[in-house]
Amino acid sequence: HDYVLFFTNAGRVHRRKGYLISEAGRTAKGTAIVNILPLEPGEEVTAMVLTREFTEGEYIFMATRKGTVKRIALDALNTSRKAGARALVLDEGDDLISVLKTSGNDNIILTTEQGMAICFNENDVRPMGRTAAGVRGITLMDGDQVVGAEKAQAGKCLLTVTENGYGKRTQVEEYLRLAEDGSRQPQNRGGKGLKNYNLTEKTGKVAGCCLVSDSDDVMLIENGGVIIRFAAKDVNIYKRGAQGVIIMRLEEGNRVIAVSSVTGEDSGEPESQETEPQT
C-alpha cells in the first residue's frame, strides 16, 4: 500500500500504488515498465522513492548529471495525474540521476565521475515549485559529471566504487570541512568540492556510491549482468584520497555500472559471482 514515486531522466514523476506492480520471483523477467508508466520514447526511470503518506515537512531532493540540484516539498508531488507530472525542468543534454527523501535538515553528498565530492546542507537549496529548474549543487571540471547523491548520516561511511571494480569506505565526517572552532561543518553549495578518490588507469572512473553501515550488505552490478553481494564491513575504510582495493573482479571489457546498499536483515540474496571482496 506504499506509493512508489517513479522519477525519469526527463525530470517527470509518476505515482503508483505498490500493489499495482505484479509480484514475481527473483529470476522472473518482470513486467515491462511501459505497461505501468506512460513513458515517452527515450525516457527511462532513473530513481524511485517509497512513501506511505505525503507528509508535510518532508522533502524530495533531486540531483542531475550536470550538477544541478532541486528541493521540493513531498506533498507537492501528491498528484494522481496518469500522465505524470513535471518535477524538474532540465537543461538540454542534462538528466535526472538521483532522488532522495529528506527530513528538511539533512546534509547531502554529491559524488562525481572524476573522483570529487561535495557535502552541503539541504537548506542551502530553498524549496521550489514543480516547474522550477533548480540551482547549482557542485561546480564540475571539464568532462566531469555527477554519478551519485546520498544523505550524510553520522556514524556511517560512503562506499565509492569505480568502473574497474575498485572501492573503499570513507567515514562521512571526512567530507565535512574543519571550522575555526574545531567543529566539522558542511561546505557551501556550488563549490568544486573535495577529492573523494585517487583515480588511476587501473581503477577507472567512479561508477557510483552508497551510504553504508557495518550491518549493511552491498550489491554491485556489472554491464555483463553479473551481480555480487557482500558485507559492507568487509571493505576497508580509507581516507578520501586513497585508491581503495579490488572488490569485484571483472571479465576483460566489462565494467561496474551500479552499486546499492541492502539492509543486512534482507535474506533474499542473488546468485553471485563471488561471495566476498577480493583483496
Side-chain angles (χ1 to χ4, degrees), residues 124-140:
D124 281 359
V125 183
R126 62 175 178 80
M128 306 174 196
R130 288 193 296 106
T131 57
V135 294
R136 183 175 300 279
I138 185 172
T139 298
L140 299 171

Side-chain angles (χ1 to χ4, degrees), residues 213-228:
S213 62
D214 285 349
S215 62
D216 290 335
D217 287 351
V218 178
M219 293 178 64
L220 298 186
I221 306 173
E222 51 103 90
N223 61 336
V226 175
I227 301 174
I228 67 169

Side-chain angles (χ1 to χ4, degrees), residues 47-235:
M48 295 182 294
V49 171
L50 301 180
T51 185
R52 178 57 62 95
E53 298 177 346
F54 290 84
T55 308
E56 186 177 351
E58 291 187 315
Y59 296 88
I60 292 294
F61 188 94
M62 295 172 275
T64 77
R65 196 173 303 281
K66 290 186 177 182
T68 296
V69 295
K70 177 180 176 179
R71 188 163 66 119
I72 185 173
L74 177 62
D75 56 10
L77 300 179
N78 187 13
T79 172
S80 59
R81 294 174 58 184
K82 291 185 178 180
R86 175 67 60 187
L88 172 67
V89 175
L90 293 165
D91 292 335
E92 185 175 354
D94 202 1
D95 294 307
L96 177 63
I97 63 163
S98 185
V99 181
L100 307 169
K101 185 165 72 168
T102 62
S103 66
N105 195 36
D106 288 318
N107 290 332
I108 307 295
I109 298 179
L110 301 182
T111 57
T112 79
E113 189 178 63
Q114 293 185 14
M116 299 298 290
I118 190 170
C119 179
F120 57 87
N121 190 272
E122 67 171 292
N123 284 301
D124 281 359
V125 183
R126 62 175 178 80
M128 306 174 196
R130 288 193 296 106
T131 57
V135 294
R136 183 175 300 279
I138 185 172
T139 298
L140 299 171
M141 297 183 291
D142 291 342
D144 202 2
Q145 60 183 8
V146 174
V147 294
E150 291 286 340
K151 291 187 289 186
Q153 300 176 36
K156 292 194 174 185
C157 291
L158 185 72
L159 173 69
T160 306
V161 180
T162 70
E163 292 179 333
N164 293 344
Y166 283 74
K168 66 181 176 71
R169 286 189 296 156
T170 303
Q171 292 176 335
V172 162
E173 289 73 22
E174 288 267 323
Y175 299 92
L176 302 176
R177 288 192 185 276
L178 188 62
E180 293 182 358
D181 61 0
S183 63
R184 291 278 183 175
Q185 299 293 333
Q187 302 165 247
N188 293 323
R189 169 188 63 80
K192 293 183 178 180
L194 305 169
K195 188 171 185 178
N196 177 41
Y197 211 102
N198 180 21
L199 298 176
T200 64
E201 185 177 347
K202 182 171 62 176
T203 64
K205 299 177 181 178
V206 173
C209 67
C210 62
L211 205 68
V212 296
S213 62
D214 285 349
S215 62
D216 290 335
D217 287 351
V218 178
M219 293 178 64
L220 298 186
I221 306 173
E222 51 103 90
N223 61 336
V226 175
I227 301 174
I228 67 169
R229 176 171 175 165
F230 53 87
K233 64 183 179 182
D234 290 339
V235 181

